[in-house]
Amino acid sequence: MTYSGAVKVGGPADVHELQDLMITKIAVGPMDNNAYLLRCRATDEQLLIDAANDAHTLLGTIGDDGIASVVTTHRHGDHWQALAEVVAATGARTYAGRDDAEGIPVPTDVPVDDGDTIQVGRVTLTARHLVGHTPGSIALVYDDPHGHPHVFTGDCLFPGGVGNTFKDAKAFASLIHDVERRIFDVLPDETWVYPGHGNDTTLGAERPHLPEWHARGW
């Protein structure tokens, strides 16, 4: 079946099958958080992005093969409610943006800076530091050698705008600057965007609206 990225809490996961990577998207918790399980097709190693909530569902999705790593996109509590339980069950290494690590109650094994890479089997993810929603938010970019890039944006980019900056003009200016410079300016329109909540989008669908976002200030 064709991947749509439309998932609901309590419903089935959706799977995006790429040549080298399988991406399983599932919605969990009262804030409809998205969690993403990445599986390297060559090695079967797995990595989880945001152990947001409902450890039982996440561990069922992970299955008996376990995960090598779990990345927390940022320090807001709705993105790590299941982290302690998932790490306890799997022994996974933990990654988070360096400037958000102290705000996550599970110790971060590997603090991440802009441009750092994270491996899942033979697949490489590149971290981009996006300041504004939180000080240490990170997005993860997979530049598929067989197709277009894919980017996991946490709460920094959604269909229709950048993430919430809580009416802080400086935070909004910082976030939209980083999202433009480190995402839109370097990735093509075909890039698939996987956000921390809700439906997926592409950079091409969002790019024409950047001037509107600047004008409205959120």
Side-chain angles (χ1 to χ4, degrees):
M1 294 181 65
T2 301
Y3 174 80
S4 71
V7 294
K8 294 182 178 180
V9 175
D14 199 4
V15 181
H16 204 170
E17 297 197 28
L18 310 179
Q19 185 166 332
D20 295 339
L21 185 69
M22 291 182 62
I23 301 167
T24 300
K25 177 180 182 179
I26 191 162
V28 292
M31 297 184 70
D32 295 338
N33 286 74
N34 295 325
Y36 299 94
L37 181 67
L38 279 54
R39 185 182 187 98
C40 170
R41 299 183 76 131
T43 67
D44 288 332
E45 183 173 299
Q46 297 191 120
L47 174 150
L48 181 67
I49 299 174
D50 283 346
N53 207 298
D54 192 354
H56 176 76
T57 293
L58 294 180
L59 290 169
T61 302
I62 290 165
D64 293 338
D65 289 342
I67 52 173
S69 309
V70 56
V71 179
T72 302
T73 58
H74 64 289
R75 68 188 187 188
H76 287 160
D78 58 308
H79 289 260
W80 48 252
Q81 292 297 311
L83 182 58
E85 191 170 343
V86 168
V87 169
T90 63
R93 293 184 304 274
T94 56
Y95 294 78
R98 184 177 301 276
D99 294 332
D100 269 14
E102 67 179 6
I104 299 169
V106 177
T108 296
D109 296 323
V110 185
V112 177
D113 296 308
D114 184 63
D116 286 353
T117 59
I118 300 171
Q119 292 294 130
V120 51
R122 297 179 188 171
V123 168
T124 300
L125 308 172
T126 301
R128 301 316 313 253
H129 183 200
L130 308 173
V131 181
H133 183 67
T134 66
S137 290
I138 55 172
L140 297 175
V141 178
Y142 170 51
D143 193 359
D144 186 353
H146 311 288
H148 55 73
H150 300 255
V151 57
F152 302 87
T153 55
D155 283 1
C156 288
L157 178 63
F158 296 97
V162 296
N164 191 348
T165 51
F166 312 100
K167 298 183 179 179
D168 182 329
K170 289 184 178 179
F172 170 76
S174 174
L175 181 57
I176 199 162
H177 172 269
D178 284 0
V179 166
E180 285 187 302
R181 183 164 62 92
R182 293 177 170 168
I183 302 295
F184 281 97
D185 287 354
V186 295
L187 296 173
D189 283 352
E190 296 79 12
T191 301
W192 196 278
V193 177
Y194 305 83
H197 304 263
N199 292 335
D200 300 352
T201 187
T202 65
L203 292 188
E206 305 305 322
R207 195 184 302 275
H209 303 288
L210 283 166
E212 301 168 29
W213 304 352
H214 276 280
R216 75 189 184 194
W218 56 272

